[in-house]
Amino acid sequence: LESLSSNLAAQSLEHIHSDEIIMTYGRSKSVENFLLEVGKRRKFQVMVAEASPVYGGHDLAKNLAAAGINTLVISDAAVFALMARVNKVIIGCHAVTANGGLIAPSGSMLMAAAAKHHSTPVFVVTGLYKLTPVYPENHDHFNLFGSPDPIVPFADGGIIEDIDAVNPFFDYVPPNLVNLFITNAGGHPPSYIYRLLTELYDQEDYKLI
């Protein structure tokens, strides 16, 4: 765990090349270190979706710009429109499920689906400690929901009585929308996740009560 960040960042030069346009979503510390490392040696551009209503993308963009990386903050609604210009999508995640899917910040599914439509590769930067033997049979079972106030402020009054506002923290991104996992043990396609599970988990640990 202590060397995780450096191990991930050390692989950045293998995946990001000069003059490429990278798109990412919100703020992931792993992705931030990944981009900062390659920014020391190569010039490239990063489009950062702001990740409403948390707006973690603003903090990431500020840190990248301070390091001299060409950074553009975009609205979440502009992801699909700008995806045609992007060379790679690089995102972080909350967990990696047993089938190679992702539990990622809400909005990641939007970006991954847009990338699939434009045949843009999606890379996920994550440590192996986020790998879980859980299968996503029920997406809502492992989701969390925040207050709807950031989306529909309570100050709006009467409209709240007429709508149901949902503010999920996570999206489930299926493995067919992911091209590569960049882990502290190297790069792996989603189809290889089951092999990593056999190396990291005993069968008795697949179901924990």
Side-chain angles (χ1 to χ4, degrees):
L1 290 176
E2 292 178 351
S3 60
L4 174 67
S5 180
S6 59
N7 287 340
L8 290 172
Q11 303 175 59
S12 58
L13 291 173
E14 301 175 14
H15 301 286
I16 300 178
H17 308 290
S18 297
D19 299 323
E20 284 191 327
I21 299 178
I22 308 298
M23 183 178 285
T24 188
Y25 186 83
R27 186 189 184 192
S28 163
K29 195 64 178 177
S30 297
V31 173
E32 180 177 336
N33 292 333
F34 194 83
L35 296 174
L36 288 174
E37 181 65 24
V38 72
K40 298 176 182 178
R41 303 187 184 182
R42 293 178 179 158
K43 296 295 183 181
F44 59 98
Q45 183 180 7
V46 181
M47 293 184 182
V48 183
E50 58 185 3
S52 172
V54 181
Y55 299 110
H58 292 185
D59 297 327
L60 174 62
K62 180 179 178 181
N63 294 339
L64 295 180
I69 298 175
N70 185 2
T71 307
L72 175 66
V73 178
I74 63 173
S75 165
D76 297 342
V79 166
F80 186 87
L82 294 173
M83 187 60 70
R85 301 175 53 193
V86 174
N87 300 107
K88 293 182 180 76
V89 170
I90 300 179
I91 58 176
C93 69
H94 179 72
V96 180
T97 57
N99 65 335
L102 301 178
I103 308 301
S106 182
S108 300
M109 178 60 183
L110 164 71
M111 184 170 289
K116 182 72 171 182
H117 180 83
H118 289 280
S119 299
T120 303
V122 176
F123 295 172
V124 180
V125 179
T126 181
L128 286 178
Y129 72 93
K130 293 186 178 182
L131 182 61
T132 169
V134 173
Y135 281 88
E137 298 174 355
N138 184 347
H139 303 169
D140 292 334
H141 178 70
F142 47 69
N143 211 333
L144 298 174
F145 294 88
S147 168
D149 184 61
I151 301 173
V152 183
F154 293 114
D156 288 348
I159 190 176
I160 298 178
E161 299 178 359
D162 301 323
I163 64 171
D164 290 326
V166 181
N167 182 17
F169 286 159
F170 303 114
D171 273 349
Y172 169 68
V173 182
N176 64 303
L177 299 184
V178 178
N179 295 90
L180 186 70
F181 287 96
I182 303 173
T183 74
N184 47 301
H188 306 287
S191 58
Y192 192 78
I193 294 299
Y194 81 97
R195 290 290 303 273
L196 294 176
L197 278 173
T198 61
E199 295 175 7
L200 298 174
Y201 282 90
D202 187 279
Q203 288 288 338
E204 295 181 358
D205 295 329
Y206 274 36
K207 293 184 179 180
L208 300 178
I209 304 296

